[in-house]
Amino acid sequence: MKLLAIDCSAKTASVAVLDGKTLVSECFVNAGLTHSRTLMPMVDNTLSQCGIEFDDIDALAVSSGPGSFTGVRIGISAIKGLAFPKNLPCSGISTLEAMAYNFTDEECVVCSLMDARRSQVYTALFKVSSGKVERLTEDSAQSAEETARALSAYEGKVYLCGDGAPVCADVFKELAPNAVIPDENRRYQRAYGVGLAALESGKFIDSALLEPGYIRPSQAERELLLKKKGEEL
């Protein structure tokens, strides 16, 4: 199976082409540019640099959240647009889960962290062993302190990855001293991890059924809810 995977759920953006679980081509950008401007050229470049046509692609995968509300929407919209003409099967993958696939050569626990603002992080824990990724906790939004305390139950090597890792470094240093932040080449989510997670799950659906996994309402939705409550009083 030839799979095209994308991630633009945060500041970074990436596109990967996989043939089975083999990485054929990948493009990664961490420049803070607008994803709506960069994503489709990245798709074109990633395909062209390995000599694969889009008509050769069998399935698509995308990080469906949590993350930036705008970034997640752009990613899912792009995949829907690419999938529709050929009715390609699609897979929506947790951004936090995709990060854990950066460590399949390790025996470790991965704590994925994304800055959720409002003194919270999006987070989930995964165990990586013998090249397999096992989910330990569901995706959630909580304080860094809650996440660090949860890590106290795990011994051995623990990696903190995602853009929330540096933000929470001081908290984890105090409450979970065995947790370390990896180098940047493995710290962020990548489209390759999205693709691997999709293939491992084997769950592909019609693009029309793809939905974002925001975990909590957007600021606009929260403000609308508060406005409605105010009108009811």
Side-chain angles (χ1 to χ4, degrees):
M1 174 189 282
K2 288 186 173 63
L3 176 72
L4 175 71
I6 68 173
D7 168 79
C8 56
S9 57
K11 178 183 175 182
T12 62
S14 57
V15 178
V17 175
L18 294 79
D19 189 350
K21 293 185 178 181
T22 300
L23 178 62
V24 178
S25 179
E26 184 177 32
C27 181
F28 178 92
V29 174
N30 186 21
L33 298 175
T34 305
H35 297 324
S36 58
R37 168 187 166 191
T38 60
L39 186 61
M40 295 314 296
M42 289 172 66
V43 169
D44 290 339
N45 290 337
T46 306
L47 288 167
S48 64
Q49 69 188 6
C50 64
I52 292 178
E53 301 288 337
F54 184 73
D55 284 344
D56 299 323
I57 297 297
D58 302 304
L60 304 169
V62 61
S63 52
S64 56
S68 157
F69 292 98
T70 301
V72 170
R73 283 196 298 269
I74 289 171
I76 288 184
S77 297
I79 286 294
K80 285 176 177 283
L82 290 168
F84 182 76
K86 293 179 62 182
N87 195 30
L88 292 175
C90 300
S91 182
I93 296 298
S94 160
T95 311
L96 301 172
E97 182 178 354
M99 294 182 201
Y101 280 84
N102 291 345
F103 301 90
T104 51
D105 60 336
E106 299 268 5
E107 300 287 321
C108 63
V109 169
V110 175
C111 177
S112 299
L113 298 158
M114 299 182 74
D115 188 0
R117 314 293 182 184
R118 302 171 62 204
S119 301
Q120 287 188 324
V121 289
Y122 297 124
T123 185
L125 300 180
F126 303 87
K127 179 181 178 182
V128 183
S129 180
S130 302
K132 299 292 184 180
V133 175
E134 175 189 355
R135 180 180 284 275
L136 299 175
T137 64
E138 295 302 313
D139 295 358
S140 64
Q142 61 186 30
S143 70
E145 288 80 6
E146 288 177 278
T147 305
R149 292 190 186 98
L151 283 179
S152 64
Y154 301 98
E155 298 179 354
K157 195 178 293 183
V158 176
Y159 287 111
L160 308 176
C161 58
D163 59 16
V167 177
C168 303
D170 291 341
V171 172
F172 281 90
K173 185 177 181 180
E174 180 180 349
L175 299 177
N178 60 321
V180 298
I181 300 177
D183 292 337
E184 286 202 350
N185 63 320
R186 293 205 293 176
R187 188 183 307 168
Y188 302 110
Q189 60 271 32
R190 290 169 54 197
Y192 180 44
V194 173
L196 288 177
L199 292 170
E200 190 66 30
S201 73
K203 296 178 181 178
F204 290 85
I205 59 176
D206 188 280
S207 62
L209 301 177
L210 274 179
E211 294 183 353
Y214 290 138
I215 295 183
R216 71 183 191 195
S218 67
Q219 182 177 349
E221 290 172 312
R222 294 195 303 271
E223 290 176 352
L224 179 60
L225 182 60
L226 289 172
K227 181 180 178 180
K228 287 182 177 180
K229 286 183 177 180
E231 291 174 350
E232 292 171 358
L233 295 176

